[in-house]
């Protein structure tokens, strides 16, 4: 019998072994150590730094959903921010009468229903035409919210939660409290993601993505699979939007525009489509890139020499952020289409077989 702690290859010999969540014990130990590190990390950070982590964790949940729709099922969606908005506004309307552990799943289910409806065009169209259909939904969402008096016409709707199980949530511990809540939800949705996609439904998604006609010939239902992919991806987006509403204490439509959908798609591409690790690395990379580019923009605006050589009427600093995002996406698509996940895979393979090359 091979030592399960020293496995350097794939020794799975049955379907049951092939569908296990963890390949070996080292993955379990690594996951436990990672969770312990994430639990103690806020103790060494300031409030503003924990806030950045909260945004990253929320975007990871949203990108996980996008990876079900786009990464696994191959259905291009540029409306993930709108699904987040559906979840956020559901939370904002239900928060005065329901506890947050009910409003957040409710936001997810509301987004799933909308996602199911939005996915109906995928039964007849695909690729660019499907992307345009989701783009239309994204714009319709912003238009409807901006003209609905019940949703404050897109203005801020407060979402307050001042205590939880006797714990007072104040200005000082707000970010720390929601960090642990979001981390707990993230662990749950990642486990659900892995359980869902390691079974027959995950294999059906891959089959439909690769060739829906062949999948149909093998007895699968491509239409139902596509609709479920949209509904599940939207559910993850709705949960992320609900958590974002609580974390920001308000809901505003500017958080769920087309620019946010494009940013989420960029996170999925940069991280690596169809992978859990990519769904984590992508949001973290894009958020840290945004922070450092914003600091560079502020420095450029305050630097007299930069301003003196800049042509009049041209705001280079403001254009730096979208320029950086676009450049990063193009570079990854050209030179590393498998995203940061591939770098993670190469590093892990090196240490797994070390000191041997193979």
């Amino acid at each position: 019998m091979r030592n399960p702690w020293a496995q350097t290859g794939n020794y799975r010999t049955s379907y049951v072994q092939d569908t296990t969540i963890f390949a070996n014990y080292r993955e379990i130990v690594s996951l436990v150590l990672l969770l312990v590190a994430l639990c103690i990390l806020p103790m060494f950070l300031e409030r503003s730094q924990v806030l950045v982590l909260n945004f990253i964790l929320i975007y990871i949940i949203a990108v996980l959903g996008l990876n079900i729709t786009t990464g696994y099922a191959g259905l291009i969606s540029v409306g993930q921010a709108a699904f987040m908005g559906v979840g956020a506004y559901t939370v904002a309307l239900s928060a005065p009468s329901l506890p947050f552990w009910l409003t957040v799943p409710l936001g997810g289910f509301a987004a799933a229903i909308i996602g199911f409806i939005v996915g109906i065009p995928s039964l007849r169209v695909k690729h660019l035409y499907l992307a345009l259909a989701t783009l239309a939904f994204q714009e319709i969402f912003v238009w409807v919210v901006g003209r609905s008096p019940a949703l404050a016409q897109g203005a801020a709707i407060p979402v307050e939660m001042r205590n939880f199980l006797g714990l007072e949530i104040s200005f000082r511990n707000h970010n720390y409290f929601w960090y642990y809540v979001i981390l707990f939800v993230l662990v749950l949705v990642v486990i659900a993601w892995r359980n869902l996609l390691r079974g027959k439904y995950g294999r059906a998604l891959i089959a439909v993505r690769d060739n829906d006609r062949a999948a149909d010939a093998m007895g699968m239902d491509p239409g139902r699979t596509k609709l479920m992919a949209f509904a599940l991806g939207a559910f993850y987006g709705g949960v992320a939007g609900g958590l974002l509403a609580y974390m920001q204490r308000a809901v505003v439509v500017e958080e769920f525009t087309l620019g946010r959908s494009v940013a989420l798609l960029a996170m999925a591409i940069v991280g690596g489509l169809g992978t859990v690790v990519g769904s984590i690395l992508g949001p973290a990379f894009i958020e840290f890139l945004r922070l450092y580019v914003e600091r560079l923009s502020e420095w450029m605006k305050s630097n007299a020499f930069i301003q003196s050589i800049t042509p009049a009427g041209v705001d280079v600093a403001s254009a730096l952020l979208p320029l950086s995002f676009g450049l990063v996406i193009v570079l990854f698509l050209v030179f590393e289409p498998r995203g940061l996940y591939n770098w993670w895979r190469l590093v892990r393979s090196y240490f797994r077989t070390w000191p041997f090359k193979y």
Side-chain angles (χ1 to χ4, degrees):
M1 179 179 179
R2 295 181 176 89
N3 180 6
W5 294 87
Q7 289 182 356
T8 56
N10 184 359
Y11 298 105
R12 301 173 185 177
T13 57
S14 66
Y15 179 75
V16 174
Q17 292 178 349
D18 197 38
T19 56
T20 53
I21 296 180
F22 302 103
N24 50 51
Y25 294 145
R26 284 187 300 184
E27 286 192 5
I28 300 175
V29 173
S30 301
L31 178 62
V32 171
L33 293 177
L34 175 63
L35 289 177
V36 171
L38 289 174
C39 287
I40 63 175
L41 182 60
M43 300 177 185
F44 307 99
L45 300 177
E46 299 177 356
R47 288 185 62 257
S48 59
Q49 294 170 323
V50 176
L51 179 64
V52 174
L53 287 181
N54 288 346
F55 277 112
I56 292 175
L57 295 181
I58 288 173
Y59 293 148
I60 288 174
I61 297 174
V63 172
L64 279 170
L66 186 61
N67 260 321
I68 294 176
T69 309
T70 302
Y72 260 81
L75 305 169
I76 301 175
S77 172
V78 288
Q80 191 70 358
F83 295 133
M84 289 180 66
V86 173
Y89 278 102
T90 303
V91 165
L93 296 177
S94 59
S97 55
L98 293 175
F100 92 95
W101 50 272
L102 281 179
T103 58
V104 173
L106 184 63
F109 284 116
I113 294 172
I114 300 298
F116 186 88
I117 297 172
V118 173
I120 290 176
S122 67
L123 302 178
R124 300 297 299 270
V125 297
K126 57 176 65 175
H127 305 315
L128 179 61
Y129 301 102
L130 181 59
L132 290 175
T134 57
L135 173 63
F137 163 68
Q138 170 68 59
E139 293 302 319
I140 290 172
F141 170 79
V142 175
W143 186 87
V144 170
V145 172
R147 286 159 178 78
S148 298
L151 302 178
Q153 295 182 325
I157 300 177
V159 181
E160 291 287 347
M161 192 175 79
R162 300 191 179 278
N163 63 76
F164 176 70
L165 298 178
L167 173 66
E168 183 182 358
I169 305 171
S170 63
F171 175 76
R172 291 182 177 276
N173 66 357
H174 178 83
N175 290 345
Y176 295 93
F177 171 78
W178 284 107
Y179 171 83
Y180 289 108
V181 171
I182 297 168
L183 179 62
F184 177 73
V185 175
L186 175 61
V187 172
L188 291 182
V189 297
V190 167
I191 293 174
W193 200 90
R194 289 291 296 265
N195 268 299
L196 178 74
L197 298 178
R198 72 193 173 112
K200 63 178 183 180
Y201 182 72
R203 296 172 191 272
L205 287 175
I206 297 173
V208 170
R209 178 193 64 191
D210 293 342
N211 192 323
D212 52 357
R213 293 183 180 178
D216 191 15
M218 288 188 291
M220 302 174 194
D221 188 339
R224 186 175 62 182
T225 303
K226 291 177 180 179
L227 292 178
M228 288 301 295
F230 261 102
L232 285 171
F235 177 83
Y236 275 70
V239 170
L243 293 171
L244 181 66
Y246 276 113
M247 200 266 292
Q248 290 194 312
R249 301 178 179 179
V251 178
V252 290
V253 74
E254 284 80 8
E255 288 288 341
F256 312 109
T257 59
L258 177 61
R260 180 69 65 197
S261 285
V262 174
L264 292 173
L265 190 59
M267 292 174 186
I269 293 172
V270 170
L273 288 170
T275 62
V276 174
V277 175
S279 301
I280 297 172
L281 296 178
F285 180 85
I286 292 294
E287 274 301 290
F288 283 117
L289 175 68
R290 181 183 63 80
L291 285 176
Y292 285 108
V293 171
E294 285 181 351
R295 291 181 184 177
L296 179 61
S297 299
E298 293 175 0
W299 176 81
M300 291 177 66
K301 288 180 179 178
S302 60
N303 188 285
F305 175 75
I306 297 294
Q307 294 299 321
S308 64
I309 63 174
T310 303
V314 177
D315 189 356
V316 178
S318 298
L320 194 60
L321 186 61
L323 178 65
S324 303
F325 278 12
L327 184 62
V328 166
I329 294 172
V330 170
L331 290 177
F332 267 92
L333 287 175
V334 173
F335 296 106
E336 188 53 274
R338 287 178 289 184
L340 293 172
Y341 167 75
N342 194 44
W343 297 359
W344 160 260
R345 185 184 63 82
L346 294 175
V347 171
R348 189 182 62 175
S349 299
Y350 173 80
F351 285 104
R352 188 172 57 185
T353 58
W354 188 85
F356 305 105
K357 190 173 182 180
Y358 302 104

